[in-house]
Amino acid sequence: MLNSPLCELLNIKYPILQGGMAWVATAELAAAVSNAGGLGLIGAGHMPPDALRAEIQKAKTLTSRPFGVNIMLMSPFVRDVMGVVIEERVSVITTGAGNPAEYIGALKEIGSKVIPVVASVALARRLERVGVDAIIAEGMESGGHVGEITTMALVPQVVDAVKIPVIAAGGIGDARGIIAAFALGARGVQIGTRFVVAQECIAHPKYKEVILKARDRSTVVTGASTGHPVRILENKLARKYAELEKQGASIEELERLGAGKLKAAVRDGDINHGSVMLGQVAGMVNETKTVAAIMAELVDGIPTVLAKLH
Ligand code: TUI
């Protein structure tokens, strides 16, 4: 079941990628996921280039397996950060929150595998034409910056539109989700929220507690009026944001309210006024474990789920 062209392409044991979550996905988490047979990723988020370089070098000391870096294309440092991953010869680059077309040539030249996250068929098609290695089709069940289509609807449409392998993301938190994604034609999955509560993850205990206590309807999407919708915990910040949006606040005003709030939530544990990004699967993430135990649960759960399908 877990046989996938992605395993050879990325030199990994299981076609399970960890989401490249800003402030959350550090070298420790990425290395733990890679050591457990998946593909760990460092989330570059808004990291300055030197901080990213240090994180990459740390990951190299923690694992001898391949790992990747997720580059958030709205970062003000995007150009310099691309330079760093090229100099450090990072083997896999995923991108988010934009169109990475202009960077693909330089990344391919040093042999990096490039796997953009898309939220639409149109961008998947365009990026296949410019030579990306695989596509992550991310549904709006995800935490953080999201598109408008669900994983269930998006994945099969992207699968039909491209020949390269498709990785499903958004709404996947256990073996059932993995099998569902493969049934839709995906050849791999990307999982974020489930790994946030891992013991190796440096997210603040209060942030982890939010995920462990969350229910199905604990998240909301804010920021649609700015063109950058973001799924977060329905907390004081989310309510304030919604109120401002209703009053017709400017994009600048809304951006000011959001600035620095992800770090406040993840690192300082400000779960009321911080931006607590989490996916809709948080409602079924109820246990903190090591990354190895989470991977074992995901992989070992597959035969049981498959047996129920006949
Ligand atoms: O990138 C993500 N999720 C993220 S990035 C992030 S960092 C952040 N911090 C504060 C405020 C806002 C963001 C938090 N979560 N996921 C990948 C993703 N990419 N989801 C959707 C997209 C996407 C959307 C539109 C990719 C491309 C796109 O189209 C751009 C175009 O030019 O066509």
Side-chain angles (χ1 to χ4, degrees), residues 22 46 72 74 95-99 117-119 123 126 138 143-147 230 262 277:
H46 288 92
M72 211 280 285
M74 292 189 318
T95 63
N99 182 345
V117 178
V118 305
L123 188 56
R126 240 181 286 154
E138 188 181 275
H145 182 67
V146 287
V230 176
L262 178 58
M277 296 182 182

Side-chain angles (χ1 to χ4, degrees), residues 20-23 44-46 70-75 95-100 116-120 122-123 126-127 136-139 142-148 169 190 227-232 241 258-263 275 277:
M21 303 162 283
W23 293 107
H46 288 92
N70 172 266
I71 299 184
M72 211 280 285
L73 295 165
M74 292 189 318
S75 164
T95 63
N99 182 345
V117 178
V118 305
S120 71
L123 188 56
R126 240 181 286 154
L127 291 171
I136 301 170
E138 188 181 275
S142 302
H145 182 67
V146 287
E148 289 174 342
Q190 177 183 275
H228 303 298
V230 176
R231 181 178 300 284
I232 58 174
Y241 205 100
K261 296 292 165 63
L262 178 58
K263 181 184 182 214
S275 178
M277 296 182 182

